[in-house]
Amino acid sequence: MNIKAKLLLLLFSLNSAFAQTPKIGEVKVFNGRPTIFINDKPESPIFYSPTHAYGGRWSWEEVPQRNIKNFCEVGVKLFQLDLYFEDIWYKGVDTLDIAKAQKQVRGALEVCENASVVIRVHTNAPFWWNEANKDECTEYADGPMQDRPYGAPFNNEDGDPDRSLRASLASMKWRREAGEKLIEFCTKLSKTKEGGSVVGIHVCGGVYGEWHYWGFPSHSADVGKAMTTYFRDWLKRKYQTDKNLQTAWKTTKYTLQTATVPDTSERINSKFGILRTPEQEQRTIDYFTAQQEVVAEDIEYFCKIVKDTWPRKVMVGVFYGYFFMTFSRQASGGHLLVERILNCPYIDYFAAPQSYWGGSMNLGGPGHSRGVIESATLRGKLWLDEVDNGHLQKQAEKDVVRQVYNIDPEYIPVIRRSALNPLVRGGGLWYYDFGLRKSFGWWDNPTYLKNIKQEVDFFKNRVNVPYKSEADVLVVWDQESFYYVQDRWTPLSFDFIDQETVDLYKSGASMDHIYVFDLPKVNLKQYKAVVMMNVWKLTVTQKDFIFKNVYKDGRTIFWHYLPGVTDGKKMSLDLVKPLVKINFSEFKTQVSKPKVFVKTATDTITYGLDKHLEPAIEIIDKSATVISVFKADNRVCAAKKQFSDHTIIYSTVALHEPKVFRQLFKEAGCHIWNEKDDVTVAGSGLVWIHTVDGGKRTLKLRNGKSVEIELPRLSTTLYSIETGEKIF
């Protein structure tokens, strides 16, 4: 074939790709789970995405195209591509550079003709805009703006979490002007040939585009003019008069006109040990609430624009609902208005990376999402995990040849585990490829791609199988409670949230995870155990619901530390006692990192805690059965008490170790699929096991059948719940 013929063939193929009828993308509940539909056809929720970072973000360049093609050839047809306003909104130019957006989409279509594209639109203002509007920018309570040259969009390596010159997320001018540009973007791109392949817009803002407030997680923001103005307006709406404000804040120092943002010391310290009391610290609680609300308003504003402007049905998604591994800075940079955003009618899917907690992320861990998946599913909203763990491969990234062609046996089970966790729970994922900026793809390896193809092939048809939860354990979390905890590292974060969650995944039981506000939405009859985790704030209405609907049917209820210690108006240990129904008292301790003794049916387990809790609590109820004690002085820290129609387990510290949970769940009547400390997850007719050591196991099915299996060392294996047959 001569050169002219080749060129004609190429032009024909490109025209074919772009001549199609514009696609529509939407999320609908199908077979019991939120499902992506492209042109009314259900699709398996597996994406590939090049990085947002410089050196690998443009789809038309050699390395990204190679990897887009790799995933297309293993059956992935959904792609997500990043685009910053900085890339297309130029100083002194009235219109956006839509041609660059077209080129970004076209790069994927050149190597995957029928690709469906979601564009990750970063709405942060360009740096020239920030320079021209410094009164609209973030100011940091813990130090001055960092002096650095601007130009390149920030990424993890060059400054996003620093004290950078950034338009405040409370800037109404930024919101308005960026909104106008988003309208222009959607209007113009949707009319192009390339726009016909766009099925979704992922709306981004803040640190990493993940709607973390500027300064997160290392710094303290925002004391600037825009945020101060917003805060005062927010206070006027809440308090209306100076007297009301001063009564709530217990000071006459401030009025509605002169109120200021709390400084760094006020934000990170607290009056009642590690707990923040509304009686004494309402000013700080108000600020964090206002900061959370302005971010929620931004999200709602931009997502509505997309829904209203794009001329066809289009999926709209955001990063929101991060719960696990949020660096103990949930109030200042996390996502505390999760119920509001989950209910937003302009959002179809939520996304977050999988947990960066070492015990979860590394080989042997569950690789679970940073979000609470089932609360999204309850609302018909799809949850998508961002899988960005290619850096777990042991080979040095600078060694390109070894990275691409050497197979890391420890990484293969991580690939599989990271996909199975969301897919078996009714969600989806995308592979996010930071490797591209080093001239290779993290999954650009025939062995890795073969594993991914197996998952793609199997779950392609799984959308037609009705989804069903297999859980008889319900794990309950709360975001609002973080308003009442120090906004820095405490044992209430890593011990109670991150490590305890890993231990739960290794208990052998099957679990659903929801927020406490969703208790009335679930079928409680399904669950034999309800594990209440960080519910430090509970309203009277929530407590009444728990007393009437959870404390029944022979159910076992787990409580941790000081549940319901505040109702949002006051904080008192007396609010806890009627809830846990086991007597306790406060005590003083000098032990900085306490150790805990637990006696199980077969042995005694000792585990250590990161730090002691203050206030420290011991159980003094002789009618309760002791579960664990502090090793230093034999004070009881966990106990169990049985009532006529329910059982209470109360632990004043984090519960740890899979064996401990396994025994307590068995006593509660929960089904245990696997008696070993492997990660074991069951859902919708499937069960998978992730193991490091491997060996003989007994897989216990609900139908009473026990299947003897041999797990390979370093493996993640999927089985049928009905037969115990290995799938792959």
Side-chain angles (χ1 to χ4, degrees):
M1 185 182 295
N2 60 34
I3 293 176
K4 184 176 180 180
K6 289 181 179 179
L7 288 173
L8 288 172
L9 181 61
L10 176 61
L11 288 171
F12 176 78
S13 64
L14 288 175
N15 286 331
S16 297
F18 301 144
Q20 60 186 347
T21 302
K23 293 182 178 181
I24 61 171
E26 54 189 326
V27 173
K28 299 187 288 188
V29 175
F30 177 67
N31 279 327
R33 70 170 72 79
T35 304
I36 292 174
F37 278 76
I38 306 298
N39 293 342
D40 290 324
K41 178 184 176 183
E43 299 286 345
S44 180
I46 303 176
F47 291 71
Y48 172 72
S49 177
T51 176
H52 71 287
Y54 263 35
R57 66 200 186 103
W58 294 125
S59 66
W60 62 81
E61 293 180 341
E62 181 179 9
V63 178
Q65 276 212 339
R66 172 182 167 82
N67 286 276
I68 291 170
K69 183 179 180 182
N70 283 344
F71 275 81
C72 185
E73 289 177 346
V74 300
V76 173
K77 305 299 181 183
L78 298 172
F79 298 90
Q80 188 174 107
L81 305 171
D82 280 85
L83 193 70
Y84 290 81
F85 271 174
E86 175 77 6
D87 297 324
I88 60 175
W89 181 6
Y90 305 142
K91 184 177 182 179
V93 179
D94 291 336
T95 59
L96 296 177
D97 182 6
I98 294 299
K100 187 176 284 186
Q102 292 174 263
K103 191 175 181 181
Q104 181 73 318
V105 176
R106 191 161 60 245
L109 297 175
E110 286 171 353
V111 290
C112 191
E113 181 177 341
N114 196 33
S116 296
V117 175
V118 173
I119 299 182
R120 189 184 293 196
V121 179
H122 294 256
T123 62
N124 298 326
F127 300 114
W128 61 261
W129 190 99
N130 299 335
E131 291 281 4
N133 295 275
K134 289 189 176 179
D135 282 352
E136 300 291 330
C137 289
T138 300
E139 294 180 21
Y140 300 87
D142 65 339
M145 200 84 64
Q146 291 177 329
D147 184 18
R148 54 150 289 169
Y150 297 104
F154 288 142
N155 55 55
N156 191 38
E157 287 74 28
D158 50 42
D160 226 11
D162 294 337
R163 291 193 296 265
S164 305
L165 182 64
R166 285 295 202 174
S168 170
L169 296 179
S171 167
M172 297 301 105
K173 183 177 183 181
W174 159 72
R175 183 191 288 177
R176 181 180 64 256
E177 294 187 10
E180 291 168 355
K181 291 303 176 185
L182 187 58
I183 291 171
E184 180 186 351
F185 176 83
C186 292
T187 301
K188 291 182 175 178
L189 182 63
S190 63
K191 294 177 181 178
T192 67
K193 292 179 180 180
E194 294 83 1
S197 294
V198 173
V199 297
I201 301 293
H202 188 101
V203 178
C204 294
V207 173
Y208 307 145
E210 296 171 273
W211 294 110
H212 302 306
Y213 209 93
W214 298 118
F216 176 86
S218 303
H219 299 290
S220 185
D222 175 3
V223 295
K225 292 181 180 179
M227 186 68 226
T228 299
T229 298
Y230 179 89
F231 186 39
R232 289 172 180 169
D233 289 342
W234 185 92
L235 292 171
K236 290 173 187 175
R237 293 193 297 272
K238 178 176 181 178
Y239 291 112
Q240 298 185 357
T241 69
D242 292 339
K243 182 179 179 181
N244 291 341
L245 173 73
Q246 292 166 354
T247 299
W249 286 13
K250 302 292 190 296
T251 180
T252 59
K253 182 178 179 180
Y254 303 100
T255 67
L256 294 172
Q257 297 296 327
T258 64
T260 60
V261 172
D263 63 22
T264 300
S265 176
E266 290 175 276
R267 298 188 207 193
I268 67 173
N269 294 316
S270 56
K271 304 290 187 182
F272 186 40
I274 60 175
L275 299 175
R276 194 184 305 282
T277 68
E279 297 97 325
Q280 297 174 283
E281 300 165 274
Q282 189 61 45
R283 178 172 175 245
T284 304
I285 294 168
D286 279 341
Y287 170 70
F288 281 134
T289 306
Q291 180 183 294
Q292 291 286 333
E293 285 199 13
V294 77
V295 173
E297 290 171 10
D298 292 338
I299 291 170
E300 292 165 339
Y301 176 79
F302 290 120
C303 291
K304 185 177 188 300
I305 283 175
V306 175
K307 283 291 189 182
D308 289 347
T309 308
W310 200 266
R312 303 174 288 280
K313 290 179 181 178
V314 65
M315 296 185 293
V316 176
V318 292
F319 289 116
Y320 203 80
Y322 289 31
F323 186 86
F324 304 100
M325 190 54 196
T326 319
F327 308 103
S328 300
R329 301 296 308 282
Q330 286 91 342
S332 62
H335 302 149
L336 302 196
L337 293 184
V338 64
E339 183 177 18
R340 172 173 168 174
I341 300 301
L342 282 172
N343 289 331
C344 178
Y346 313 117
I347 299 173
D348 301 298
Y349 72 80
F350 293 83
Q354 295 181 333
S355 175
Y356 297 133
W357 179 248
S360 175
M361 177 178 65
N362 294 336
L363 178 71
H368 63 86
S369 175
R370 291 172 75 186
V372 179
I373 292 180
E374 282 78 17
S375 272
T377 303
L378 281 170
R379 289 164 172 76
K381 305 293 179 77
L382 178 64
W383 187 274
L384 294 171
D385 274 5
E386 178 171 287
V387 178
D388 60 357
N389 57 27
H391 55 282
L392 293 182
Q393 298 172 71
K394 291 192 299 183
Q395 290 88 357
E397 291 190 357
K398 64 182 180 180
D399 187 342
V400 176
V401 176
R402 289 186 63 208
Q403 186 77 18
V404 175
Y405 296 108
N406 280 17
I407 299 169
D408 182 356
E410 294 189 4
Y411 185 57
I412 293 172
V414 170
I415 295 175
R416 179 144 293 168
R417 171 208 74 185
S418 298
L420 291 182
N421 202 323
L423 290 169
V424 167
R425 294 174 65 188
L429 72 146
W430 64 71
Y431 295 91
Y432 200 64
D433 202 342
F434 282 102
L436 299 180
R437 69 192 308 241
K438 297 182 182 294
S439 299
F440 56 81
W442 271 342
W443 300 284
D444 190 359
N445 177 297
T447 300
Y448 298 159
L449 290 168
K450 179 181 178 181
N451 277 267
I452 292 170
K453 179 173 170 54
Q454 284 183 313
E455 297 154 8
V456 171
D457 289 346
F458 178 76
F459 284 98
K460 183 183 299 182
N461 297 318
R462 199 71 189 173
V463 294
N464 296 310
V465 177
Y467 177 79
K468 175 180 176 292
S469 167
E470 306 291 347
D472 52 13
V473 176
L474 182 65
V475 186
V476 182
W477 304 94
D478 183 45
Q479 287 279 38
E480 274 196 59
S481 290
F482 290 117
Y483 291 125
Y484 305 94
V485 180
Q486 288 179 352
D487 190 53
R488 61 178 177 179
W489 183 92
T490 75
L492 294 186
S493 50
F494 294 139
D495 260 340
F496 273 89
I497 294 173
D498 296 310
Q499 186 53 50
E500 189 164 352
T501 299
V502 172
D503 294 335
L504 282 165
Y505 271 102
K506 295 182 179 181
S507 68
S510 181
M511 299 166 288
D512 285 336
H513 294 253
I514 64 167
Y515 289 110
V516 67
F517 51 72
D518 279 335
L519 271 174
K521 289 184 170 64
V522 299
N523 175 20
L524 285 167
K525 292 183 179 179
Q526 175 182 339
Y527 305 106
K528 296 182 178 179
V530 176
V531 184
M532 298 286 193
M533 296 297 290
N534 70 320
V535 288
W536 324 131
K537 182 201 172 189
L538 288 171
T539 65
V540 171
T541 300
Q542 287 172 327
K543 288 181 179 180
D544 285 345
F545 180 87
I546 290 166
F547 287 134
K548 293 175 183 177
N549 300 281
V550 181
Y551 285 7
K552 61 187 297 186
D553 299 329
R555 193 172 291 116
T556 298
I557 299 92
F558 292 66
W559 292 108
H560 289 81
Y561 191 45
L562 292 173
V565 69
T566 183
D567 57 6
K569 298 177 181 177
K570 63 180 180 179
M571 181 169 287
S572 172
L573 299 183
D574 291 336
L575 294 174
V576 181
K577 292 178 180 179
L579 195 62
V580 301
K581 301 170 76 169
I582 293 176
N583 292 331
F584 64 85
S585 66
E586 184 180 355
F587 74 99
K588 299 296 181 182
T589 178
Q590 300 300 318
V591 180
S592 61
K593 293 187 177 182
K595 291 188 180 295
V596 174
F597 254 176
V598 187
K599 287 189 176 181
T600 71
T602 57
D603 54 12
T604 298
I605 296 173
T606 302
Y607 60 81
L609 303 173
D610 283 343
K611 192 177 181 181
H612 78 84
L613 288 167
E614 186 181 346
I617 305 298
E618 65 171 322
I619 292 172
I620 54 171
D621 193 328
K622 293 184 179 180
S623 64
T625 302
V626 174
I627 293 174
S628 63
V629 298
F630 290 110
K631 186 176 180 180
D633 51 21
N634 237 29
R635 295 177 190 267
V636 178
C637 55
K640 178 178 180 179
K641 196 170 184 178
Q642 195 160 342
F643 298 88
S644 60
D645 59 352
H646 65 281
T647 299
I648 298 288
I649 292 174
Y650 176 42
S651 179
T652 67
V653 295
L655 282 169
H656 283 315
E657 298 299 326
K659 283 185 180 180
V660 175
F661 281 110
R662 189 175 305 124
Q663 176 172 309
L664 296 175
F665 287 152
K666 288 171 75 172
E667 292 170 0
C670 302
H671 182 78
I672 302 298
W673 300 89
N674 174 17
E675 294 277 354
K676 299 295 185 181
D677 292 358
D678 308 306
V679 175
T680 305
V681 177
S684 196
L686 303 167
V687 57
W688 60 271
I689 302 175
H690 174 61
T691 181
V692 175
D693 298 330
K696 296 184 182 299
R697 301 287 191 273
T698 300
L699 181 61
K700 297 182 179 179
L701 308 182
R702 284 196 186 278
N703 58 18
K705 181 180 178 181
S706 292
V707 180
E708 300 303 317
I709 58 177
E710 180 82 28
L711 295 177
R713 183 176 177 274
L714 306 177
S715 66
T716 303
T717 313
L718 184 68
Y719 297 93
S720 164
I721 272 179
E722 298 300 322
T723 65
E725 179 185 2
K726 178 181 174 181
I727 296 171
F728 57 70

